[in-house]
Amino acid sequence: MNAVPSRRAKRLILTGVAGLAAVTLAGCASGSGGGGEAGGPLVLYTWAASEGDQAQWADFISGAQAEDPDLDISVEGPSFADYWTKVKTRLSGANPPCLLTTQAARAQELGDLLMPLDDLIEKAGFDTSEIDASMLSGMTVDGTIRAIPYDAEPIVLFYNVEAFQAAGLELPGTEYTRDQFVSDAKALTNGEKKGLAIAPGIFIPNAWSLADGVPAVTEDGDLDLTNDDFVDQIQSFFDLVAVDQVAKAPEAADGSEVSQQAFTSGEVPMLIEGPWMYGSFAEAADFTLGVTIVPSTSGTAAAMTAGSGFGIAANCERPDEAFAAIEALTSVSVQEKQAEARGIVPARIEALPAWAEGKTEGAADVVEALLADATPQRTTPTWNQVETLMTQYGVQGYRGELTAAEIMETIQNSVAG
């Protein structure tokens, strides 16, 4: 499982199961008519194994039914980790579902399973200009849109406001240079108490690189880990540990919860993560939560975005009904409700102010600035291997035992081979 799924799973916080009655949870052998029988419920195949997952989809569906009272959707699916393989089997079985979920980072991987939506978008008069452009780009495969996103999560830098104030540092906002970041991190570092917490894997280094506009995957979908610009970006991230000594090298066995706990406990005052973690961090921490951009060389805001959306199975026999369901599921009111209840950053621009509710001053300004210049995390079908190898070898990069060039070449050659 790559870093995006592990983080996504953590954000599906159970907020109550009262809404579960709104969803019929169908078994994998369901005869509910989700694919071919007119008049039956549309089946949404998604990650639906946990109560938290089920509560989220119940909220989506109840909100969509407020938009369209005649909407009838049932939900089925495995755990998040199993979804990406089992969805392929499910679609080849009897009575396949019509509705699917995907992440922008995995849309290329599921491209053959997802129906191009451009004709349905035009037919319905659906205004894509109202949706975050980076997420629509991430949901585009071979020049056609394959899913409508419901969230657009720009990766941010969380910081401990009181720690910054105690060190006499200016609080960063919508601009933050890497030079200033390293200077601040050094001021916040005292021996073994470091300024930044780092998790293993490729997810956060990739966000660091994209803050400077350098991707790991080409626009054509090819893995490009060994290009000089990307290697330089990864080396600069390794150097935060090996040279600047403002962070500890993560262990390969560490989960993201290790760095998250170091941050929320007050042990470490800075952490790069997704904005979906805001609610969990605010609840766990006894300090004021600051939010700024992932530092860039110029100091201007640019982001890697992660997000998910709803698509239609390529073999769905009820595409018009399915697209109408997607329109309701991704409506402004539904996304506002999700932003308020679960803390997701809505993909609909009009719904974005709902995320600002309950956040510290300036947090929403940072998210808006990042979304103004955002690039989706693009991956390849081999990304799980990239994540595994970066987790394994990256530790040596942080320790200065291997260079980024050596590690990126090893990973590129291993995956390509």
Side-chain angles (χ1 to χ4, degrees):
M1 180 168 58
N2 70 30
V4 178
S6 66
R7 286 167 169 79
R8 181 72 48 174
K10 290 180 182 298
R11 57 177 276 214
L12 298 179
I13 301 170
L14 179 62
T15 59
V17 295
L20 289 176
V23 182
T24 302
L25 290 174
C28 286
S30 169
S32 58
E37 297 176 23
L42 289 164
V43 175
L44 169 63
Y45 191 81
T46 183
W47 41 92
S50 73
E51 287 186 337
D53 295 339
Q54 294 165 16
Q56 174 174 252
W57 302 129
D59 284 349
F60 265 104
I61 292 169
S62 64
Q65 288 170 335
E67 296 284 318
D68 180 3
D70 295 327
L71 189 63
D72 190 6
I73 299 176
S74 65
V75 177
E76 65 170 80
S79 69
F80 191 98
D82 291 337
Y83 174 77
W84 307 99
T85 53
K86 290 190 175 181
V87 64
K88 300 167 186 177
T89 303
R90 180 66 186 92
L91 286 180
S92 63
N95 191 34
C98 263
L99 296 171
L100 305 176
T101 49
T102 187
Q103 293 182 324
R106 308 291 289 261
Q108 302 293 325
E109 181 180 344
L110 299 188
D112 291 343
L113 306 181
L114 292 165
M115 180 181 294
L117 301 181
D118 298 69
D119 289 344
L120 290 167
I121 288 170
E122 183 177 0
K123 183 177 180 181
F126 185 86
D127 189 356
T128 57
S129 70
E130 297 177 354
I131 306 294
D132 177 75
S134 70
M135 279 297 95
L136 278 176
S137 174
M139 299 293 187
T140 297
V141 180
D142 294 333
T144 58
I145 296 172
R146 303 302 175 97
I148 303 299
Y150 58 78
D151 68 338
E153 312 277 6
I155 308 308
V156 299
L157 174 68
F158 289 99
Y159 65 91
N160 181 327
V161 170
E162 284 78 12
F164 266 68
Q165 291 173 333
L169 302 174
E170 182 178 349
L171 300 182
T174 57
E175 296 183 354
Y176 203 23
T177 67
R178 289 192 178 168
D179 286 344
Q180 186 61 54
F181 164 73
V182 171
S183 176
D184 290 347
K186 287 181 176 178
L188 293 164
T189 295
N190 184 7
E192 288 302 305
K193 185 174 182 180
K194 303 298 185 180
L196 175 72
I198 292 176
I202 192 72
F203 184 70
I204 298 303
N206 198 20
W208 173 270
S209 185
L210 279 172
D212 258 10
V214 181
V217 176
T218 69
E219 290 187 3
D220 293 331
D222 297 324
L223 193 63
D224 194 23
L225 302 181
T226 55
N227 81 76
D228 291 342
D229 290 338
F230 186 73
V231 168
D232 288 345
Q233 290 288 327
I234 298 303
Q235 187 63 59
S236 71
F237 197 73
F238 286 161
D239 286 349
L240 295 174
V241 177
V243 177
D244 301 314
Q245 299 183 3
V246 297
K248 293 179 181 177
E251 298 294 333
D254 289 350
S256 57
E257 67 277 0
V258 174
S259 57
Q260 291 171 3
Q261 186 174 6
F263 174 67
T264 57
S265 69
E267 176 187 347
V268 176
M270 291 191 286
L271 176 71
I272 298 173
E273 252 295 0
W276 59 81
M277 294 303 301
Y278 188 102
S280 298
F281 287 172
E283 183 177 353
D286 62 0
F287 54 82
T288 305
L289 201 61
V291 178
T292 185
I293 69 171
V294 175
S296 62
T297 300
S298 68
T300 57
M304 180 181 87
T305 47
S308 301
F310 299 102
I312 301 175
N315 56 356
C316 173
E317 297 182 7
R318 300 160 61 184
D320 292 310
E321 290 178 65
F323 191 76
I326 290 175
E327 288 186 276
L329 288 166
T330 61
S331 66
V332 172
S333 63
V334 170
Q335 292 194 23
E336 287 176 336
K337 181 180 177 182
Q338 290 294 315
E340 293 167 359
R342 297 178 182 276
I344 73 167
V345 176
R348 279 193 174 272
I349 299 166
E350 186 180 344
L352 190 58
W355 187 84
E357 294 298 320
K359 307 299 188 299
T360 51
E361 184 178 357
D365 293 336
V366 168
V367 167
E368 287 190 34
L370 289 169
L371 288 179
D373 187 8
T375 303
Q377 184 197 19
R378 288 191 173 90
T379 67
T380 65
T382 58
W383 197 252
N384 281 349
Q385 294 172 261
V386 174
E387 175 68 27
T388 299
L389 291 169
M390 181 63 171
T391 299
Q392 176 184 347
Y393 292 113
V395 174
Q396 293 173 276
Y398 292 116
R399 292 174 179 166
E401 298 166 356
L402 292 173
T403 66
E406 291 170 324
I407 293 173
M408 293 302 106
E409 184 176 8
T410 296
I411 296 175
Q412 180 85 28
N413 291 342
S414 297
V415 172

